[in-house]
Amino acid sequence: MKRFIIPILLTILIAVPLIIFFESIDLTPVLASQQGRDVDSLLHVLYIIASIIFALVMSFLLYSVVAFRRKEGDLSDAKPVYGHVGLEIVWTLVPLIIVLSLGGVGASVLLDISHPPQADVLEVNVTGFQWAWSFEYPQYGVTSNELVLPVDRPARFVLRSRDVIHSFFIPEFRIKMDVVPGKHNELQLTPTQIGEYRTYCAELCGTGHAFMTARVRVVDPAVFDEWLQSQQQPVGGPSDPVAQGQDLYETQGCTGCHSQDGTRQAGPTFRGLFGSQVTLDDGTTVTADEEYLHASIVDPGGQVVEGFNNIMPGTYAQELTEEQIQALIAFIKSLQ
Ligand code: CUA
């Protein structure tokens, strides 16, 4: 009996501080969505079960090391042991029950948070591509490179990919879902906390994977309406090529690598680029005129700037119309 009482007491002695420790530290960022609450409760249950199992294994191990150690001068062999049916049944059944019930609770949480939201849902079409996110609001005719959501209004995301598999991940909302080419994945959530967050890509998708993030803002409904209005009327009217170019710059993933304020990112900055002398990686120099900018958009690997690696997708020639490429060039020209 003593052989069980001591390890059990030891288990309690290790498990209780462990559980208190896990409950007191914050392993997750601030919680900002309604659906995230169930996810967090499930995570706490996991911490508790993991702490108890860890303590149980460690206690019996430590107790055995001490209680069954070899006595001084004892050179005899240990008594052979031929297994223990009762013990084997217990250590097969108990983990089976734990894993099955966790699976059950997990499935019910998943069903719960996948429920289609009520009326007044905000539709957002999310497009992932190498290497940026684009957010379209079909109810308002707005496309943006940042995700702006009114607080407490349910939102429904339809996730699409233009090229390879990405994964849409916003830690504060406790959501993560793969974005698969040729497939529409869906996601529901209601933001509950005003603030600024980021969306990440959680699936290795190429050289620019680490740059594939976008700003997420949860705002007051009034601020959201103002933002929508500002997005619906681009500066200078829709026929202004510079405004159109800026819009493309923000929605086509250019911001991930090319700054507009002179900051060095993965690609050369657009500030002061037009008309400047550019040194290429083969040592030659070219003037950054319209022809050079056009060539660099449709064939990024053709003339690579010294000190940079070409990680730009070579697909813009198919994705952009000639008019859009001209608008982008007009935008770059305006950044003097
Ligand atoms: Cu997209 Cu990683």
Side-chain angles (χ1 to χ4, degrees):
M1 206 57 205
K2 193 181 87 185
R3 288 185 181 162
F4 283 97
I5 291 171
I6 294 177
I8 298 281
L9 284 176
L10 210 56
T11 302
I12 298 168
L13 222 61
I14 297 174
V16 171
L18 257 184
I19 293 169
I20 294 172
F21 172 71
F22 278 126
E23 293 294 315
S24 65
I25 56 166
D26 258 336
L27 285 171
T28 47
V30 60
L31 175 64
S33 80
Q34 194 190 309
Q35 288 75 5
R37 266 173 233 153
D38 293 338
V39 177
D40 277 9
S41 331
L42 199 57
L43 197 63
H44 281 287
V45 174
L46 281 178
Y47 289 153
I48 292 169
I49 294 177
S51 302
I52 294 172
I53 291 177
F54 175 79
L56 195 71
V57 172
M58 284 301 135
S59 302
F60 275 93
L61 184 78
L62 288 175
Y63 177 77
S64 303
V65 165
V66 176
F68 304 110
R69 71 185 185 281
R70 188 170 63 83
K71 304 280 180 320
E72 190 82 56
D74 178 7
L75 295 175
S76 63
D77 284 339
K79 238 195 285 168
V81 176
Y82 296 103
H84 191 297
V85 177
L87 200 59
E88 282 176 21
I89 289 173
V90 168
W91 74 36
T92 305
L93 276 185
V94 171
L96 189 73
I97 292 166
I98 293 175
V99 170
L100 284 182
S101 30
L102 276 179
V105 179
S108 95
V109 168
L110 189 65
L111 274 180
D112 222 35
I113 64 177
S114 312
H115 261 307
Q118 320 72 341
D120 192 32
V121 59
L122 175 72
E123 303 261 358
V124 187
N125 291 330
V126 180
T127 306
F129 52 95
Q130 289 170 317
W131 285 280
W133 299 101
S134 166
F135 307 100
E136 188 206 349
Y137 298 76
Q139 292 150 314
Y140 304 99
V142 164
T143 303
S144 165
N145 69 326
E146 66 170 342
L147 177 61
V148 182
L149 299 169
V151 71
D152 293 329
R153 178 168 169 193
R156 179 172 165 269
F157 298 106
V158 177
L159 311 171
R160 266 172 284 221
S161 168
R162 206 191 275 171
D163 35 49
V164 299
I165 302 178
H166 303 278
S167 181
F168 185 60
F169 178 36
I170 305 173
E172 289 81 0
F173 293 163
R174 310 288 191 269
I175 56 161
K176 186 194 276 174
M177 187 169 278
D178 276 7
V179 185
V180 184
K183 196 173 181 298
H184 291 50
N185 278 347
E186 252 184 63
L187 205 59
Q188 266 81 227
L189 92 111
T190 308
T192 51
Q193 188 84 37
I194 289 179
E196 267 198 30
Y197 315 107
R198 286 203 87 80
T199 168
Y200 298 93
C201 176
E203 186 75 57
L204 187 61
C205 56
T207 344
H209 163 70
F211 305 108
M212 198 171 158
T213 88
R215 195 153 75 124
V216 179
R217 280 196 295 141
V218 176
V219 295
D220 202 73
V223 177
F224 179 69
D225 289 341
E226 270 169 39
W227 176 79
L228 277 180
Q229 273 170 22
S230 73
Q231 293 293 307
Q232 281 160 341
Q233 311 163 338
V235 199
S239 58
D240 177 9
V242 174
Q244 196 201 343
Q246 171 150 24
D247 202 45
L248 290 165
Y249 167 73
E250 286 168 359
T251 54
Q252 295 297 316
C254 316
T255 48
C257 299
H258 303 281
S259 76
Q260 50 174 326
D261 61 1
T263 316
R264 186 194 161 99
Q265 286 174 292
T269 180
F270 285 167
R271 164 75 50 192
L273 173 61
F274 184 74
S276 69
Q277 295 294 309
V278 176
T279 309
L280 303 179
D281 61 359
D282 62 4
T284 59
T285 305
V286 292
T287 304
D289 53 10
E290 283 91 348
E291 197 189 335
Y292 165 81
L293 294 178
H294 192 283
S296 297
I297 293 169
V298 298
D299 178 22
Q303 294 169 299
V304 179
V305 180
E306 188 182 37
F308 291 94
N309 291 318
N310 174 39
I311 58 166
M312 181 163 151
T315 48
Y316 284 114
Q318 291 95 58
E319 277 154 19
L320 300 174
T321 64
E322 187 52 40
E323 190 207 340
Q324 288 176 313
I325 295 173
Q326 291 305 332
L328 268 172
I329 294 173
F331 169 65
I332 295 169
K333 278 167 86 171
S334 74
L335 295 171
Q336 285 305 313

